[in-house]
Amino acid sequence: MSATSDTTETTGGPSLPQRRRLVTEIPGPRSRELMARKSAAVAAGVGSVLPVFARRAGGGVLEDVDGNSFIDFGSGIAVTSVGNSAEAVVRRAAAQLEQFTHTCAMVTPYEGYVEVCEELARLTPGDHAKKSILVNSGAEAVENAVKIARYHTKRQAVVVFDHGYHGRTNLTMALTAKNMPYKHGFGPFAPEVYRVPMAYPYRWLSGAENCAEEAAAQVIEQITKQIGAENTAAIVVEPILGEGGFIVPARGFLPRIAEFAREHGIVFVADEIQSGFCRTGQWFASEDEGLVPDLITTAKGIAGGLPLAAVTGRAEIMDAAHSGGLGGTYGGNPVACAAALGAIETMREQDLPARARRIGDIMLPRLAELAGKYPAIGDVRGRGAMVAVELVKPGTKEPDAAATAKVAAACHAEGLLVLTTGTYGNVVRFLPPLVIGEDLLTEGLDILENAFAAL
């Protein structure tokens, strides 16, 4: 812990000093005061991973109201991939704020909405004709993808996967696998949703080498025998699972499922809300195995921290719904659209796919080294800057959520913001901003190692 506090006022964003600094206990007195106000005014269901209140953020750090600076391995859950208050995001959003903040795209459209849709058509996988709709959140994007698929196919059934996460609305809670905290007590849920196995290599009973083939066969049999391919409107899957534990499906599994969908006229939907926009070392995680989804949902990293989401897909599918059937008052807000164009500009100019790959090249070998030293680490996985470790009781594959919580708490106490995840609550996930400095990245990994050493 630093003995002195740097009281120099500074703005956030790229100009924020890129260093870890602890000047109070965690949380500090000002954060505790604000937490008391939060408890009195904010519904108890809105929890916090780390009970410190942010004042500024930028690059690879987040500063709280007490002057503590944390290394950020969370990016607001993969949202601020370009860094907080990135120059192009601020510049474009500020310029738009001076022009107008809202007209509603369904009342009088504006160029920014069209520009974002044009960028999505260029960036998403496949060279076919594409169109998009813009909405407010990832859950809304997934819900609209299901609506569009049902309208296009004139079918109702939707197939999702074990360990999948797709949102908190009624329909997307039905699509989401994990009960607590996302679904518990909030039912009944939307009907005609069917869950099938995920090709989870670490936990596949007959071994990772059999995972892709066996899991695909099980999925196809369940759809064919229990649902009926002719009744299935959409298969919705995350190319790398997020809340389910950063599970990378066994190689070959997703292409086989996409092929089956194509053979039977089922809309294949890739939920790239967490894995998209350079996070995995490519613009979209689907590209790793050459997947070309019929529809792709995006949010999180799309607009540098402003609320925006999209459904992009084959023009003939996107055009299926009648005029007025898609939309929403705030969907494609002009300021959020401007921010998205700034985020995409930053991703291109700074080659953030390459930055993500470099982060993976640093983190994955170091995490593998830790796994060799600390038997609590059962698996290391991920791609690019979307990586994780799964914790188990040593000598078994029994999930150890308690040890996971201890590791996270130890990191937080030392100024490293990490997130936990997974169906069993036993995964520590890492989502650093793609603009983070390598010195901060290495320092964060040192803190993580100390946390494991103290278990």
Side-chain angles (χ1 to χ4, degrees):
M1 179 181 290
S2 170
T4 61
S5 172
D6 183 351
T7 59
T8 304
E9 288 298 317
T10 182
T11 58
S15 66
L16 192 65
Q18 296 296 291
R19 64 178 183 270
R20 178 178 67 103
R21 181 184 62 189
L22 298 180
V23 296
T24 73
E25 70 276 25
I26 305 300
R30 179 68 177 138
S31 281
R32 292 197 301 271
E33 176 187 325
L34 288 169
M35 188 57 69
R37 289 170 55 189
K38 175 180 181 288
S39 296
V42 179
V46 181
S48 301
V49 170
L50 178 58
V52 303
F53 279 73
R55 175 168 59 182
R56 291 185 282 262
V61 298
L62 183 151
E63 181 185 295
D64 74 6
V65 292
D66 291 293
N68 301 296
S69 292
F70 297 80
I71 299 173
D72 183 6
F73 274 16
S75 300
I77 316 183
V79 170
T80 54
S81 296
V82 296
N84 260 289
S85 298
E87 184 278 329
V89 172
V90 173
R91 168 170 43 84
R92 286 180 178 253
Q96 180 58 52
L97 277 167
E98 293 182 345
Q99 300 305 313
F100 60 92
T101 57
H102 176 75
T103 67
C104 183
M106 298 183 302
V107 177
T108 57
Y110 34 88
E111 187 176 5
Y113 190 115
V114 177
E115 285 184 282
V116 172
C117 293
E118 289 172 337
E119 286 284 19
L120 288 167
R122 280 190 283 267
L123 292 170
T124 51
D127 56 6
H128 51 279
K130 301 172 200 163
K131 293 189 178 183
S132 296
I133 63 166
L134 304 182
V135 291
N136 302 290
S137 69
E140 193 178 356
V142 172
E143 192 138 343
N144 273 278
V146 170
K147 286 168 56 178
I148 292 165
R150 283 174 166 165
Y151 203 107
H152 171 71
T153 61
K154 304 299 186 285
R155 305 170 182 175
Q156 294 185 343
V158 179
V159 173
V160 290
F161 292 81
D162 288 339
H163 309 288
Y165 176 87
H166 301 287
R168 296 174 183 260
T169 61
N170 187 265
L171 174 59
T172 56
M173 280 191 295
L175 303 179
T176 290
K178 190 175 180 180
N179 174 52
M180 181 63 83
Y182 307 116
K183 301 167 68 170
H184 186 73
F186 296 134
F189 304 115
E192 289 299 314
V193 173
Y194 300 88
R195 197 168 311 284
V196 295
M198 169 50 63
Y200 188 167
Y202 179 64
R203 294 196 173 274
W204 198 255
L205 290 178
S206 63
E209 66 278 8
N210 302 311
C211 184
E213 183 178 348
E214 291 180 0
Q218 287 187 28
V219 169
I220 291 168
E221 181 177 19
Q222 282 187 227
I223 295 174
T224 303
K225 302 300 183 185
Q226 299 180 27
I227 306 165
E230 68 277 11
N231 299 320
T232 304
I235 296 173
V236 183
V237 65
E238 301 161 276
I240 296 179
L241 279 66
E243 295 294 321
F246 279 30
I247 300 165
V248 181
R251 200 159 190 84
F253 172 74
L254 290 178
R256 180 67 190 99
I257 301 303
E259 178 186 31
F260 172 80
R262 185 169 56 251
E263 290 169 350
H264 294 275
I266 301 168
V267 177
F268 183 80
V269 182
D271 179 342
E272 292 248 23
I273 288 160
Q274 192 160 168
S275 61
F277 288 99
C278 311
R279 174 55 55 182
T280 65
Q282 294 165 298
W283 279 90
F284 296 95
S286 297
E287 297 175 69
D288 184 66
E289 291 194 82
L291 291 174
V292 179
D294 297 310
L295 301 179
I296 184 167
T297 59
T298 52
K300 291 192 182 292
I302 191 173
L306 275 73
L308 188 70
V311 184
T312 302
R314 298 184 185 277
E316 67 274 17
I317 299 176
M318 294 297 297
D319 279 344
H322 51 276
S323 179
L326 304 174
T329 301
Y330 291 107
N333 169 269
V335 181
C337 286
L341 295 170
I344 292 168
E345 175 187 330
T346 304
M347 292 171 196
R348 281 202 181 101
E349 289 188 352
Q350 298 189 23
D351 193 5
L352 292 193
R355 294 283 290 272
R357 292 193 296 273
R358 175 61 181 160
I359 289 170
D361 289 343
I362 293 171
M363 294 196 77
L364 285 166
R366 180 73 183 277
L367 294 173
E369 179 185 323
L370 296 185
K373 294 168 73 172
Y374 303 105
I377 300 176
D379 194 31
V380 174
R381 55 182 179 253
R383 205 155 63 230
M386 186 176 181
V387 298
V389 292
E390 179 167 354
L391 274 64
V392 294
K393 294 183 178 177
T396 76
K397 288 192 177 182
E398 183 180 347
D400 196 339
T404 306
K406 286 180 183 177
V407 167
C411 289
H412 296 165
E414 292 301 317
L416 173 64
L417 175 57
V418 298
L419 306 174
T420 60
T421 191
T423 300
Y424 312 108
N426 69 322
V427 175
V428 183
R429 58 177 162 172
F430 308 106
L431 292 161
L434 303 183
V435 296
I436 192 171
E438 292 187 13
D439 56 339
L440 287 177
L441 199 61
T442 300
E443 185 178 358
L445 289 168
D446 291 342
I447 293 169
L448 180 69
E449 177 161 11
N450 291 337
F452 277 108
L455 273 181

